[in-house]
Amino acid sequence: MNTQEIVQKLWNLCNVLRDDGITYHQYVTELTYILFLKMMKETEQEKNIPEGYRWDQLVEKDGVELMRFYRQQLLDLGTKGNAKVRQIYANASTNIAAPANLKKIVSSIDELDWFSAKEEGLGDLYEGLLEKNANEKKSGAGQYFTPRPLINVMVELIDPQPGERCNDPAAGTFGFMIAADQHVRNKTGNYYDLGEHEADFQRKEAFSGCELVQDTHRLALMNAMLHGIEGEILLGDSLSNLGKTMGNMDVILTNPPFGTKKGGEHPTRDDLTFATSNKQLNFLQHIYRALKPNGKARAAVVLPDNVLFQDGDGQKIRADLMDKCNLHTILRLPTGIFYAQGVKTNVLFFTRGETDKGNTKEVWFYDLRTNMPKFGKRTPFTEEYFEGFVKAFNAEDRTKLQDERWKVYSREEIKFKGDSLDLGLAVNDSMMSYLDVADPIESAENTISKLGQAITLLEEVIKDLKLTKGEKE
């Protein structure tokens, strides 16, 4: 039985809990509590679990006794055992009401092919479960899971090195850091090519993060542990004063949450230069300030379109970013790859300068949005779509690359446009070329289809303008 088959079997157990009214996201959290105990046994780490609360004690019980034992187990593991165990079970409680349902889940997990699971990697198994949850629209968990092809490309291009401190201030389930860890492992023969001290640093200090939501935080802890990562994952808000502790980083890879602070309030941090209720703009400030000012520290950040054009503080923050950092590349992502279908996103790639002025000379844009398919189950979003961008990003001389999706704007041109970075899309250059109605052989049906796309585009522009106006008011 391979990892994919085991993941599907675990996912199907969710059907057992439907009568208890448990959501998909609650199910994954519930499954984490039980899987953790089994995986501790399989990886011979049960010494971290207090005696009397280990897997064998759970399996041997039945009926009401099992239910009573499990509830007490969750309470006690939140206060006993080592620090990681206490974090994973902090404030844990069960939503399972029927003892027979709990027994079914425990027995099913016990009967899985754990030899095959260990052969393929328990971390891959658990992350497969998280990805399944993220792809299930009803779970609402997509906001915590960035598409794997996008993560892999961002990590490849940022290229974390051994000895560098990597961080995700909006960690979700820790996917960016797990990919970054794997990237360095691939470079160093799974760390065997490093000295003992260097390998120890990679496992215990190189990868860190912060996550606001407690249930997601425990998923991140479990994910990191199963991938052999012991770095600190804080529970809290990076936009509070806790964020001040996450500085001096070599690499930041992240996809901050979208939206505004509840009630429109500003972050509680007192060290951000420009106070705004826009979460992404505040995260952007945190990120470029948290990089080492050494001319090498770098970041790749997923941000929505409004960050590129918002007036007022948005304009000031973009100007500050381009002063302090070399914002060398912006990737305009296709729509439909995230949990909210209408969300338009981009990846900003920048390197912190040694000084705080004039670091950005020009910004290159790659349009991966125009004339792209509608992504979904029938057309999955894969790494193949990034091939042109990766080639352009790594080109020795970007000016010689012949690619219609690839455009450059000087810092002076951007300043002339009010420091707006909402640039580089082919449709912005010429609506007529987008419609292509001058082609006499084009069929009427195709022309009408393109006109419909143009109308949709104009409606979205009007909506964005209304949103911007509303934020200013």
Side-chain angles (χ1 to χ4, degrees), residues 15 69-70 92 110 182 232 235 237 242 254 356 373 404 408:
N15 298 328
F69 175 82
Y70 180 58
D110 196 44
Q182 189 58 55
E232 186 174 45
L235 173 62
D237 187 356
L242 181 66
T254 189
D356 283 351
E404 61 185 8
V408 63

Side-chain angles (χ1 to χ4, degrees), residues 9 60 64 73 101 115 118 202 226 316:
K9 200 163 186 175
E60 68 187 13
V64 176
Q73 184 179 39
N101 288 345
F115 178 80
K118 285 190 286 186
Q202 290 303 131
L226 292 173
K316 293 173 186 174

Side-chain angles (χ1 to χ4, degrees), residues 418-458:
D419 284 324
S420 172
L421 294 169
D422 194 18
L423 307 167
L425 293 174
V427 354
N428 290 351
D429 293 339
S430 170
M431 187 64 76
M432 289 305 293
S433 67
Y434 178 68
L435 294 173
D436 202 21
V437 293
D439 186 349
I441 11 178
E442 177 126 321
S443 70
E445 183 180 350
N446 196 26
T447 302
I448 290 168
S449 170
K450 289 192 175 184
L451 282 167
Q453 292 175 34
I455 290 167
T456 302
L457 174 71
L458 288 169

Side-chain angles (χ1 to χ4, degrees), residues 339-366:
Y339 66 103
Q341 288 296 311
V343 173
K344 297 185 180 70
T345 54
N346 314 271
V347 184
L348 276 61
F349 294 85
F350 50 88
T351 302
R352 182 74 189 262
E354 294 182 39
T355 64
D356 283 351
K357 285 291 178 185
N359 280 289
T360 298
K361 308 299 183 190
E362 60 185 20
V363 183
W364 285 86
F365 291 79
Y366 196 91

Side-chain angles (χ1 to χ4, degrees), residues 300-314:
V301 188
V302 180
L303 293 167
D305 274 16
N306 72 300
V307 169
L308 303 187
F309 62 73
Q310 185 171 313
D311 289 338
D313 287 326

Side-chain angles (χ1 to χ4, degrees), residues 168-181:
D168 183 347
T173 54
F174 216 52
F176 275 108
M177 294 299 98
I178 284 163
D181 170 66

